[in-house]
Amino acid sequence: MKALHVITGLGVGGAEQQLRLLLRHLPADCDVVTLTNPGPVAEGLAADGVRVVHLGMTGNRDLSALARLVRLIRSGRYDLVHTHLYRACVYGRVAARLAGVRAVVATEHSLGRTQMEGRSLSPGVRALYLAGERLGHVTVAVSAAVADRLRRWGVPEPRMRIVPNGIDVARFRFDPAVRERTRRQLRLPQGAYVVGGIGRLTEGKRFGVLIGALAQLPVDCWLLLVGGGPQESLLRAAAQRAGVADRVLLTGERPYVPDGSPGPDLPALTSAMDVLASPSPEEAFGLAVVEGLAAGLPVLYASCPAVEDLPPRLATEARRVRGGADAFARALTETRALPEAGRPRPQNRPASATARHYCITRTTAQLMDVYAATVSAHPRPLGK
């Protein structure tokens, strides 16, 4: 099967890194088109041997990009087009239909209750999304929560499939040698208790809550934030005001898989943590929580459909926290006081049941089932 993935951009973000991970495991012949910003993930995909084309789209109303995309799809003779993120879903579905592709799939990665990829869910955003959705054949939701939101929007149930995000469980397995090396690279004090946060530094992630919590914790507690984004300077200023700037480390965006970048990658950074905290109140999936569980960390979260969609027995290491800085400070204090908190994590301990449930090989198998069913339901006309 030959598939084309169309994505809005390839900077270091959750959907972008998820696409790279999928293509490392997906048993299909895949190319990628990025409408804008062929950033670090584009370089990583190329290093993996994936053909990446930058469409050079200059803005939301650059209709010339649509014509270029149609030509590219036609010349590639793809069996299936798979779109990712809002702008790519709008343009990609239209282009795929104009190019005569028989199967069009889209993944909805980031639909929250009140926003999508940081944009408010205005009537116009919703109307344009639904108009584009009708041009596809299948819409993939990354969680049951996202599927429920799409259903309430008016996306027909028969057109939806749930295929959760996946992680490379083995990459996150705890390694004490990696932990020591990473903590030395970060210049963390011996014995520091490290609270981790992973995600884009945006207002919706509420990382300021963790800074406020840190100010209430003992001085041997540190905060390690992994990610980049527009809130970075504001978070640094908040740490300064709270008097904890010397105990807050911001690493910037870090790759999911090794790509030659200087400094530790994301799995190495989770090895350096003692607990992961996710104060975001509105998540479409909650990938950071699953990554923390795969690393053997206790996890505190405000919202995580990946955990909430599972039977409680599968997510015993994750605890939901309702409230702001005070609530997270109490929860972090209680977590540190648990008998197992001071013990080294076993290197060979099996990954948590939650992490195993979201193993990338399981995700890609489910996605290939969606591909096969969609292509077989829309066969290529004779002579094409």
Side-chain angles (χ1 to χ4, degrees), residues 12-378:
V12 180
E16 296 84 351
Q17 295 203 79
Q18 181 68 195
L19 175 60
R20 183 185 178 192
L21 184 62
L22 278 172
L23 296 194
R24 290 169 72 96
H25 295 267
L26 201 62
D29 180 10
C30 296
D31 296 334
V32 174
V33 169
T34 177
L35 303 186
T36 63
N37 183 24
V41 177
E43 298 170 8
L45 284 165
D48 295 342
V50 178
R51 177 175 175 250
V52 180
V53 177
H54 177 210
L55 203 63
M57 192 174 193
T58 58
N60 285 335
R61 298 181 181 179
D62 180 6
L63 296 181
S64 66
L66 179 62
R68 294 195 297 276
L69 184 56
V70 171
R71 288 195 297 270
L72 189 151
I73 294 172
R74 281 178 178 158
S75 66
R77 295 185 58 81
Y78 296 100
D79 300 299
L80 179 142
V81 168
H82 187 164
T83 64
H84 308 262
L85 301 178
Y86 184 81
R87 192 194 301 187
C89 284
V90 172
Y91 277 85
R93 284 168 168 146
V94 173
R97 280 307 188 96
L98 290 174
V101 175
R102 56 177 170 156
V104 184
V105 174
T107 291
E108 183 44 61
H109 294 269
S110 306
L111 178 60
R113 291 188 301 272
T114 61
Q115 61 179 12
M116 174 190 285
E117 299 166 33
R119 59 170 61 83
S120 297
L121 292 178
S122 66
V125 166
R126 177 176 170 176
L128 185 57
Y129 182 91
L130 289 173
E133 197 279 334
R134 294 186 186 99
L135 295 175
H137 297 111
V138 173
T139 296
V140 172
V142 298
S143 67
V146 170
D148 186 57
R149 290 163 192 162
L150 289 170
R151 193 178 300 111
R152 291 200 301 270
W153 270 27
V155 176
E157 179 82 33
R159 296 165 61 85
M160 284 191 290
R161 302 291 184 275
I162 298 175
V163 178
N165 288 322
I167 67 166
D168 187 339
V169 175
R171 288 273 303 131
F172 282 89
R173 185 171 292 122
F174 177 69
D175 185 329
V178 172
R179 174 182 173 85
E180 291 306 313
R181 182 175 68 246
T182 305
R183 288 170 74 101
R184 284 196 304 270
Q185 289 175 322
L186 297 172
R187 298 182 179 178
L188 286 163
Q190 190 73 24
Y193 186 77
V194 179
V195 179
I198 302 171
R200 287 277 292 160
L201 304 185
T202 59
E203 184 178 0
K205 293 297 185 181
R206 282 208 317 168
F207 285 128
V209 165
L210 299 185
I211 291 173
L214 183 67
Q216 303 178 45
L217 299 177
V219 294
D220 63 342
C221 293
W222 286 62
L223 176 61
L224 176 61
L225 293 179
V226 182
Q231 290 272 308
E232 180 173 343
S233 60
L234 294 176
L235 290 170
R236 291 187 185 278
Q240 195 72 43
R241 289 193 302 272
V244 295
D246 59 340
R247 293 190 283 135
V248 176
L249 298 177
L250 287 82
T251 70
E253 298 285 10
R254 304 309 308 156
Y256 185 96
V257 296
D259 64 356
S261 299
D265 59 14
L266 177 56
L269 289 164
T270 58
S271 283
M273 299 172 185
D274 294 293
V275 59
L276 186 124
S278 176
S280 169
E282 187 175 318
E283 289 288 339
F285 181 78
L287 190 61
V289 169
V290 180
E291 291 164 345
L293 292 172
L297 295 170
V299 174
L300 305 173
Y301 70 92
S303 168
C304 181
V307 168
E308 294 154 7
D309 291 346
L310 295 178
R313 61 182 173 79
L314 292 183
T316 56
E317 307 94 332
R319 171 185 168 189
R320 189 168 190 178
V321 178
R322 292 179 170 84
D326 292 350
F328 269 89
R330 286 193 299 272
L332 287 164
T333 299
E334 292 164 2
T335 300
R336 190 179 187 183
L338 295 173
E340 63 270 22
R343 300 176 187 170
R345 281 172 272 164
Q347 184 174 5
N348 297 318
R349 184 177 68 181
S352 74
T354 299
R356 293 195 303 273
H357 183 83
Y358 294 116
C359 178
I360 189 62
T361 55
R362 190 171 186 266
T363 294
T364 52
Q366 291 175 289
L367 189 58
M368 282 304 298
D369 287 344
V370 171
Y371 284 3
T374 308
V375 169
S376 64
H378 302 87

